[in-house]
Amino acid sequence: MIEVKAVVMEKIAEKIEISMKSYPEPDLAPGSVLLRTIYSEVCGTDVHLMKGHLAGVPYPIIPGHINVGVIERMNGSVTDINNEPFQIGDVVTFLDVHETCHACWYCLVAKASTRCPNRKVYGITYSALDGLFGGWSQKIYLKPGVKILKLPSNLTPKDFIAGGCGAPTGLHAVERATIRLNDTVAVQGSGPVGLFAAIFSMISGAGQVIVVDPSQTRLQAAKMVGVDHTIGSTTSDHRIAEVMKLTNQRGADVTIEASGNPQAISEGLRMTRDNGTYVVAGQYTDAGDVVLNPHWQINRKHVDIRGVWGIDYSHFYKTVQLMAKHRDRFGWHRLVSRVYGLGEVQTALEDVESLKIFKAVIAPNDL
Ligand SMILES: [Zn+2]
Ligand SMILES: [Zn+2]
């Protein structure tokens, strides 16, 4: 029997425990694929999973929702969206979101498939008792119907994983923001989501992109990819004043929040111009309430406030294509701060939580 090693988060009493387990290599149902994992990302969501902050997670789980690997086995012919058959040895990724039903009210009437109640997510909402459904594992079982995508030949696995889930989330935020040519875009937060919101704003023709983050370490990545301005002041009033200085005292046309801090909402509205657009993308978990002044900050400002939740296949697909096209300009692989073995997951999580590093990546077959 071939054994597969995987990292499991288990809920024991009120605590989440992390341990390495062995699983038998699964039998493949018709239309399914077995992937040998090359890289899996570690992101803020995994820190939330470790702390038990997300509702409805069926512990024990194998985390790791954004992954890249090599096709090791398949049962039958499996094709991509262009009807091209996959081959053994192809380097592929896949959309972590699976089983969006395309049959419920949200999918069919509201056309908001990221709010479909039937969605399942690899590395988050599948139990380890059901199989290898997360990337912190030497192999991943791709169920029939999982949306698999071959990496373009000029996008290496390390380039791709450098984007992680922040890249398609940032792209979705930019689509929600409907950026126009020459817009000034302010991005609050220079983590992976904020950085990619800034990058996709640049690609979308923004006139200037300003990244705001009180942590100078976090701003390094924004500087590296060449955003127009970074603002690292530690007080809210200073940060707003700096944005005003860059916009003739009017504020940004578009502000994208990717900070994770509820207080950023009030600040972000203040740095957005009248009749501008404000997109909230960084409040993935409930981090608390915030006081707003609806007269000054919403009604009189005539501002458009939009939320953004999750990603669908279109965001994932476009991200991969754009990352391939702009690889030489941005040198994505440089964003990977450190590659950890499967036995170093705890350290990786601590490094992500303390914001010590920008992007942590697990290489499960380098134990
Ligand atoms: Zn649905
Ligand atoms: Zn993630």
Side-chain angles (χ1 to χ4, degrees):
M1 189 178 76
I2 304 173
E3 294 229 311
V4 179
K5 287 197 165 51
V7 166
V8 176
M9 282 186 187
E10 209 159 350
K11 193 162 190 176
I12 296 166
E14 281 314 293
K15 225 179 145 315
I16 311 285
E17 304 231 326
I18 299 175
S19 59
M20 184 123 54
K21 295 231 157 98
S22 287
Y23 292 86
E25 195 171 291
D27 295 330
L28 298 188
S32 66
V33 169
L34 191 69
L35 219 59
R36 184 173 194 274
T37 317
I38 300 174
Y39 293 125
S40 182
E41 76 156 348
V42 182
C43 77
T45 301
D46 300 308
V47 175
H48 292 308
L49 287 170
M50 177 182 68
K51 306 213 145 190
H53 285 168
L54 287 177
V57 176
Y59 296 101
I61 59 162
I62 302 171
H65 46 279
I66 298 287
N67 309 292
V68 56
V70 179
I71 295 183
E72 193 171 87
R73 286 200 285 132
M74 285 187 283
N75 185 345
S77 173
V78 180
T79 54
D80 70 6
I81 55 159
N82 300 313
N83 286 323
E84 287 287 332
F86 290 108
Q87 313 286 345
I88 303 292
D90 278 350
V91 176
V92 300
T93 180
F94 63 94
L95 180 64
D96 58 344
V97 178
H98 180 52
E99 294 180 12
T100 302
C101 73
H102 303 296
C104 73
W105 187 88
Y106 280 102
C107 283
L108 292 181
V109 181
K111 298 198 168 158
S113 70
T114 68
R115 298 300 303 135
C116 171
N118 301 311
R119 300 177 1 136
K120 292 264 204 178
V121 187
Y122 271 72
I124 301 176
T125 67
Y126 275 117
S127 167
L129 304 175
D130 296 330
L132 302 171
F133 295 129
W136 298 4
S137 166
Q138 292 178 306
K139 296 184 185 182
I140 311 169
Y141 177 75
L142 304 185
K143 298 172 98 174
V146 166
K147 296 285 175 291
I148 307 171
L149 189 59
K150 195 171 157 177
L151 288 198
S153 57
N154 64 334
L155 193 67
T156 67
K158 199 167 183 182
D159 281 315
F160 167 77
I161 206 69
C165 60
T169 308
L171 182 137
H172 193 186
V174 167
E175 284 199 342
R176 286 286 278 167
T178 52
I179 289 164
R180 294 190 177 87
L181 293 174
N182 203 44
D183 271 355
T184 290
V185 180
V187 178
Q188 298 175 280
S190 188
V193 175
L195 185 78
F196 275 87
I199 287 168
F200 287 122
S201 298
M202 289 156 80
I203 292 174
S204 301
Q208 60 176 349
V209 175
I210 307 164
V211 176
V212 183
D213 195 313
S215 157
Q216 289 293 344
T217 334
R218 304 277 274 182
L219 284 177
Q220 288 309 321
K223 286 181 182 152
M224 194 171 86
V225 299
V227 302
D228 299 284
H229 304 280
T230 56
I231 297 174
S233 317
T234 48
T235 74
S236 183
D237 284 345
H238 272 135
R239 292 191 289 268
I240 294 164
E242 292 287 318
V243 172
M244 289 299 162
K245 222 192 283 174
L246 292 166
T247 56
N248 292 311
Q249 302 303 321
R250 282 189 287 264
D253 300 296
V254 171
T255 306
I256 297 172
E257 184 278 327
S259 73
N261 181 350
Q263 301 307 321
I265 309 300
S266 178
E267 179 177 319
L269 282 165
R270 285 176 59 202
M271 55 176 72
T272 307
R273 72 161 164 84
D274 290 0
N275 196 24
T277 304
Y278 188 62
V279 175
V280 178
Q283 308 290 317
Y284 184 64
T285 54
D286 182 352
D289 300 330
V290 62
V291 176
L292 294 177
N293 182 302
H295 171 67
W296 287 106
Q297 290 177 294
I298 302 175
N299 202 148
R300 186 183 170 113
K301 192 176 261 292
H302 194 72
V303 70
D304 202 348
I305 303 178
R306 297 176 187 177
V308 53
W309 185 252
I311 56 163
D312 66 24
Y313 185 78
S314 74
H315 309 113
F316 193 64
Y317 176 86
K318 290 179 200 177
T319 295
V320 170
Q321 308 309 316
L322 286 171
M323 286 184 79
K325 180 176 164 64
H326 295 280
R327 176 178 183 263
D328 292 341
R329 177 177 174 189
F330 294 106
W332 309 116
H333 59 277
R334 296 178 302 156
L335 297 169
V336 173
S337 319
R338 187 177 155 191
V339 179
Y340 301 77
L342 210 49
E344 300 173 297
V345 159
Q346 188 77 49
T347 316
L349 283 163
E350 283 163 16
D351 290 350
V352 170
E353 187 183 14
S354 65
L355 306 182
K356 219 162 73 186
I357 58 166
F358 183 78
K359 177 55 77 183
V361 165
I362 309 271
N365 285 292
D366 305 343
L367 289 174

